[in-house]
Amino acid sequence: MSDSVLRAPLFACHNDTRANVAAIFAILIFPLLVAVAGTIDTARHIAANRQIQLAVDAATLAGARALEDDELSDKQVKAIIEASFNANSTLTEMDLSCAKIEADVERDNDGVDLQVECQMPRIFGNMFGLPPKMKVSRYSYSEHASPTLDLALMIDVSGSMNNEGRLAAAKAGAKALISTLITEETGSRVKIALIPYGEAINAGVWGNRAQGYADDNDDDGDGDRVCVSNRTSETTRYTDDLPTDGHYMSDYSPAFCREPMIVPLTDDAEALNKSIDAIVANSAGTAGHLGIAWSWYAITSKWSAIWPEESKPRNNTHARALKAIVVLTDGIFNRHHEAGGRYAYTFSSRDMMAFCDEILDDDVLIYVIGLSVEDPTFGWVDQDWIDAYGPDKVLSTCAADPARLFRPDSSDELVPLYETIAKKLEVEPLRLLK
């Protein structure tokens, strides 16, 4: 037998590496399993952190929105925050348990913060001696960083607004403003009231309340057209005090009271546009002082008891509750309702400026659009009267700032002007700050 034959089995065994591979695999299998288990748990941990952060962010934003309602207590706001977190965190699906959910309400900053600590069990923790649970800890702070807006659109409905397409342009401008300010993003943070004004104000059922009557009162026979005029009390004439006994509005019920009914604050853009479409301009005069007064009443929280629940203005003292009025007129103010004359230019202009001074002192912004407004040409009008009560004096007094006063010569300019004003008033969205 040859040596080669004898050596063949030994050579074959020497070159067979299968045992080496098995040994190496046996050595590496444990760390490979640990690595795979770690990768799976890490992926789950990252997903849990992401989901919890989204839930925390949503909850703090919900809390910031809840702070808009001054009637909600801190406890109620915290309940809203926690309910939002629970609804968005999918704790059960991700096998998470949260031992710490701490919500804090910061009224001074209009902010809320939320801290959450949760735990998620490892899939392979017990098998490889790793900690059985992984910690998921997230934090978020949201501040109601932009103002809410209560806005009154004061629209002249005197007969002259039918000239040169003025009313149609005013309607288009008002709608453009509404579409800019009321969006899905702003939600209820922006509310707008419509105040058509002419010889008087048709305040509907709210006019009855402002006169101290029951909602269904119709003693003057004007049906649902409850037209009102000046407040009777000298002490509260130019204030936004709630109308009470001795401080009510006066009634105004001539047959020619034809003003469209006012619309209290609402965030329903469709309803506002429908009311705008229905506006007609056939009033016999322009009582600017009543228009500005009721524009103020519509947005001041002092009148909350008058308005329906959904139209109650935000609290005047709220740091970020912006209040504004947009005045549109195409002429001087020529109606007043006391001792002597519905045609008292001087009294209406005087009262208009007195109201504007008080409104501006209340930190309300007034934007004024005087469309083709000129000085009266009556024989009794002299330069002294124009300096004291003329349109330049009245409109500039109410705007206070030249940047808020617009004097267009053509109705074609109205839509761009309303859009400009809307951009100035546009509120920023709620945002997360941390």
Side-chain angles (χ1 to χ4, degrees):
M1 184 180 293
S2 68
D3 292 340
S4 61
V5 173
L6 291 171
R7 288 195 299 267
L10 294 174
F11 180 80
C13 182
H14 176 76
N15 286 279
D16 189 348
T17 61
R18 287 174 294 179
N20 294 339
V21 172
I24 293 171
F25 179 77
I27 294 171
L28 294 179
I29 186 61
F30 183 80
L32 284 174
L33 288 175
V34 172
V36 170
T39 300
I40 293 173
D41 281 336
T42 298
R44 293 175 64 243
H45 190 252
I46 291 172
N49 270 286
R50 183 183 300 114
Q51 180 61 39
I52 293 299
Q53 187 65 64
L54 290 173
V56 167
D57 290 346
T60 54
L61 287 173
R65 293 189 185 95
L67 285 178
E68 296 173 22
D69 188 344
D70 294 314
E71 296 184 1
L72 291 178
S73 66
D74 286 1
K75 183 178 181 180
Q76 290 172 312
V77 173
K78 289 180 181 180
I80 291 172
I81 294 171
E82 293 185 17
S84 174
F85 173 77
N86 291 331
N88 289 285
S89 59
T90 61
L91 299 178
T92 303
E93 295 177 19
M94 304 195 74
D95 200 17
L96 286 164
S97 59
C98 298
K100 178 182 179 181
I101 303 176
E102 291 187 357
D104 290 318
V105 177
E106 299 179 4
R107 294 279 180 179
D108 291 341
N109 299 324
D110 290 333
V112 299
D113 60 43
L114 178 61
Q115 299 182 58
V116 174
E117 289 186 6
C118 304
Q119 289 186 327
M120 182 174 66
R122 294 179 186 272
I123 294 178
F124 301 101
N126 294 331
M127 183 182 299
F128 300 113
L130 298 173
K133 293 185 178 182
M134 296 178 290
K135 182 179 179 181
V136 179
S137 179
R138 310 307 296 171
Y139 169 80
S140 182
Y141 176 77
S142 177
E143 186 173 283
H144 192 182
S146 59
T148 59
L149 174 63
D150 290 341
L151 172 66
L153 292 181
M154 178 177 156
I155 300 176
D156 189 343
V157 294
S158 59
S160 59
M161 283 293 291
N162 292 311
N163 300 336
E164 301 171 354
R166 294 175 183 177
L167 183 61
K171 290 181 177 183
K175 287 183 176 182
L177 178 144
I178 290 167
S179 67
T180 299
L181 294 179
I182 297 180
T183 66
E184 290 185 5
E185 190 174 64
T186 60
S188 63
R189 293 190 300 122
V190 175
K191 293 185 178 182
I192 297 176
L194 296 181
I195 311 295
Y197 71 104
E199 176 129 11
I201 292 289
N202 177 13
V205 64
W206 308 290
N208 274 334
R209 296 177 187 180
Q211 295 177 79
Y213 301 147
D215 289 359
D216 58 356
N217 180 275
D218 190 24
D219 289 346
D220 53 14
D222 55 7
D224 61 357
R225 305 183 64 78
V226 183
C227 291
V228 292
S229 59
N230 306 316
R231 194 193 290 260
T232 55
S233 171
E234 289 295 330
T235 60
T236 54
R237 177 184 289 271
Y238 303 124
T239 75
D240 63 338
D241 290 351
L242 184 68
T244 57
D245 188 28
H247 302 279
Y248 289 118
M249 305 294 124
S250 297
D251 193 19
Y252 183 75
S253 56
F256 48 82
C257 171
R258 295 183 289 268
E259 286 69 33
M261 191 180 299
I262 65 173
V263 178
L265 286 172
T266 180
D267 58 11
D268 188 336
E270 184 178 349
L272 286 167
N273 289 334
K274 184 177 180 180
S275 294
I276 289 171
D277 287 336
I279 289 177
V280 294
N282 57 12
S283 183
T286 314
H289 64 294
L290 294 182
I292 197 72
W294 278 84
S295 294
W296 191 16
Y297 302 154
I299 63 174
T300 177
S301 59
K302 291 183 181 179
W303 271 54
S304 290
I306 298 294
W307 305 117
E309 186 65 33
E310 66 275 10
S311 299
K312 293 185 184 302
R314 254 74 65 143
N315 195 310
N316 291 354
T317 61
H318 199 289
R320 294 184 177 88
L322 180 63
K323 310 279 186 171
I325 298 170
V326 178
V327 178
L328 171 66
T329 181
D330 73 338
I332 61 173
F333 305 126
N334 58 7
R335 291 294 187 273
H336 206 269
H337 308 284
E338 66 175 325
R342 299 198 338 265
Y343 293 85
Y345 288 71
T346 300
F347 290 159
S348 185
S349 296
R350 176 203 66 191
D351 284 6
M352 179 79 177
M353 289 187 287
F355 269 116
C356 286
D357 286 340
E358 295 297 324
I359 293 169
L360 292 166
D361 285 345
D362 202 32
D363 295 325
V364 177
L365 298 176
I366 304 177
Y367 292 85
V368 179
I369 303 174
L371 174 59
S372 302
V373 178
E374 299 177 352
D375 292 333
T377 57
F378 301 110
W380 55 267
V381 173
D382 56 23
Q383 191 60 47
D384 288 340
W385 188 92
I386 290 175
D387 291 342
Y389 302 109
D392 288 344
K393 176 68 172 178
V394 176
L395 301 184
S396 61
T397 295
C398 288
D401 185 338
R404 297 198 294 268
L405 175 59
F406 306 91
R407 300 291 296 272
D409 295 320
S410 167
S411 57
D412 293 339
E413 301 175 58
L414 287 184
V415 172
L417 285 181
Y418 273 102
E419 291 175 338
T420 297
I421 294 171
K423 289 298 181 182
K424 292 176 181 289
L425 293 171
E426 194 171 13
V427 300
E428 298 176 5
L430 289 170
R431 63 175 183 266
L432 294 168
L433 300 183
K434 294 179 184 177

